């Protein structure tokens, strides 16, 4: 639930108010029915679901917005966790489009067996009182791990 990520939603809005800035939240393609660029989730269609594509989508959005008189200003990109990684990568890939990136807890380097990420997720979920989410996630991770061990 979004409430779990209030820190990610409210802090940038508060900063926008304090600095008299506009706050815009973009949705990653495939993250809802409204952002599906294809008709289904087939393997062929998932080629458009990537961090590179998400960066290109955001870059295109900024370029198009900058073409309007009301948005021709400076941009700071924000994100936490995965979107934090995207924010950091965006600043590195498109330094001409943003003056900064805020990326708390953004994992920017791939790590094999990144157990610390799960440990923090587990702790956060328990603190939020959402313990019922843990068994299904553990089961899904185990299933995916088993699938990755096979040639099929």
């Amino acid at each position: 639930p979004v409430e779990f990520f209030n820190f990610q939603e409210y802090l940038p809005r508060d900063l926008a108010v304090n600095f008299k800035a506009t706050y815009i939240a973009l949705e990653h393609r495939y993250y809802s029915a409204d952002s599906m660029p294809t008709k289904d989730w087939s393997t062929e269609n998932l080629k458009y679901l990537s961090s590179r594509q998400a960066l290109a989508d955001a870059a295109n959005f900024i370029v198009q917005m900058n073409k309007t008189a009301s948005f021709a200003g400076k941009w700071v990109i924000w994100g936490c966790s995965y979107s934090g990684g995207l924010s950091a990568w965006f600043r590195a890939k498109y330094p001409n489009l943003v003056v900064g990136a805020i990326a708390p807890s953004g994992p920017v380097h791939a790590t094999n067996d990144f157990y610390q990420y799960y440990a923090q997720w587990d702790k956060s979920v328990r603190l939020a009182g959402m313990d019922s989410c843990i068994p299904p996630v553990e089961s899904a991770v185990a299933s995916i791990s088993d699938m990755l061990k096979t040639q099929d």
Side-chain angles (χ1 to χ4, degrees), residues 30-104:
Y30 288 92
Y31 278 35
S32 80
D34 294 332
S35 63
M36 284 289 293
T38 61
K39 63 181 176 167
D40 61 44
W41 287 85
S42 66
T43 301
E44 173 63 21
N45 286 337
L46 290 179
K47 67 184 175 188
Y48 302 110
L49 175 59
S50 70
S51 56
R52 285 184 185 91
Q53 188 62 57
L55 297 177
D57 288 346
N60 182 59
F61 178 83
I62 290 174
V63 167
Q64 296 308 313
M65 291 299 289
N66 282 343
K67 290 180 180 179
T68 69
S70 60
F71 281 94
K74 296 179 180 177
W75 291 81
V76 174
I77 195 161
W78 171 282
C80 296
S81 193
Y82 170 63
S83 61
L86 289 176
S87 296
W89 297 328
F90 189 93
R91 176 73 170 122
K93 187 169 178 79
Y94 301 102
N96 57 313
L97 295 179
V98 294
V99 296
I102 301 171

